[in-house]
Amino acid sequence: MATPPQPQQQGAGPYNPYGAPVPQQGGQAGPWHAGPQPYGAYGAHPEPGRYGCRLCGAWPAAHATVRGHQGLIVLMRFLSLPGPFCRDCGLATYRRMSSDTLWQGWWGPLSVFITPVTLLMNLGPRASFRRLAPPAGGYRPALDPGKPLWRRAPFLLLLTPALLVLLAVPALVVVGLVAGEPQLTSGQCVRNEGSWTDQDLEVLSCASPRAEYRVTERPDTPGARCAPTDYVSDPKYGRDEFTTFCLTRLR
């Protein structure tokens, strides 16, 4: 009695979705399944039903949208580039659009507020791209991410005025302490560059021809009184801004 023919194996052929070697006559695998096949070259996508990077076709890819903003004095432009992106193409797109926004996004009254929001929104896609594995299996090379955003010229240009503002606060405090109102002490000589209701006293050497008055008694000291021809200094020239002195004319 003849042996009935065996049924053909289903799913065999060069496009087997699992990438397993297909048995041939003699038990040898076909030459097109000699090893793992890259995605896009007679191989199966590692995750069926999902798409690779929109720029290079590589996998894995994340679905994320990178945004940008341009301020045009009166008008403005909202830019966006949706994914999916592989790790390298996504980081390259994020860094390019964020860098452009850093120097193009501030030129408008509303853009001053929209630009920082746009930059913060791009942090989410950036985190998604950084979590991806290196791209593989694309139909073209992935983009070069380039320098990190904080090392690019627009970021450094923005950082410079921010640092100046931060340094200006302690600098103003120091200048105020050094160039503030002089504190008078008995025996000094001064000149009043303002009126007596709005004094502007300048401490000078008593030998200077510009000196007009000598600082004498403190009228708030018990038993001390200014002479009838003396003037009284403004309390702002005292150590605690409450102390006054008598100013006696030199000549």
Side-chain angles (χ1 to χ4, degrees):
M1 180 181 293
T3 303
Q6 299 295 322
Q8 295 293 328
Q9 181 177 0
Q10 298 297 325
Y15 300 100
N16 181 2
Y18 299 102
V22 179
Q24 304 293 323
Q25 291 184 357
Q28 300 295 325
W32 50 81
H33 288 294
Q37 298 298 313
Y39 165 54
Y42 299 105
H45 196 290
E47 291 191 12
R50 298 189 63 181
Y51 295 96
C53 175
R54 64 171 292 173
L55 299 181
C56 69
W59 186 91
H63 288 268
T65 300
V66 184
R67 305 181 185 278
H69 183 74
Q70 293 179 346
L72 304 173
I73 309 300
V74 179
L75 304 177
M76 62 184 72
R77 293 180 63 193
F78 295 87
L79 310 175
S80 64
L81 188 61
F85 296 102
C86 67
R87 185 192 66 180
D88 291 356
C89 290
L91 289 177
T93 303
Y94 156 75
R95 292 173 180 176
R96 175 178 57 82
M97 295 187 69
S98 296
S99 178
D100 291 344
T101 300
L102 279 173
W103 69 274
Q104 296 176 356
W106 305 97
W107 313 111
L110 294 179
S111 297
V112 173
F113 303 98
I114 297 174
T115 293
V117 174
T118 302
L119 295 173
L120 291 175
M121 292 177 64
N122 281 342
L123 295 180
R126 172 183 176 271
S128 299
F129 301 145
R130 290 175 62 88
R131 287 194 293 265
L132 296 175
Y139 53 79
R140 53 168 289 178
L143 298 179
D144 181 8
K147 295 180 180 179
L149 184 61
W150 63 271
R151 292 178 54 191
R152 301 194 177 202
F155 184 87
L156 297 178
L157 291 175
L158 180 66
L159 186 62
T160 299
L163 290 176
L164 292 177
V165 171
L166 291 177
L167 294 176
V169 175
L172 290 175
V173 173
V174 173
V175 171
L177 293 175
V178 174
E181 302 294 353
Q183 295 182 358
L184 301 182
T185 58
S186 182
Q188 289 180 323
C189 292
V190 298
R191 178 184 181 86
N192 184 18
E193 297 291 348
S195 63
W196 288 109
T197 57
D198 185 16
Q199 298 178 17
D200 182 13
L201 300 182
E202 178 185 1
V203 177
L204 301 170
S205 170
C206 292
S208 172
R210 298 182 62 246
E212 295 179 327
Y213 304 92
R214 184 185 299 275
V215 180
T216 55
E217 299 286 344
R218 289 175 49 186
D220 56 348
T221 303
R225 297 179 59 185
C226 294
T229 57
D230 288 352
Y231 291 96
V232 179
S233 66
D234 195 297
K236 66 182 180 182
Y237 295 102
R239 178 170 301 177
D240 53 5
E241 296 188 356
F242 290 99
T243 304
T244 58
F245 291 89
C246 298
L247 303 177
T248 305
R249 185 177 291 275
L250 290 176
R251 54 186 179 275

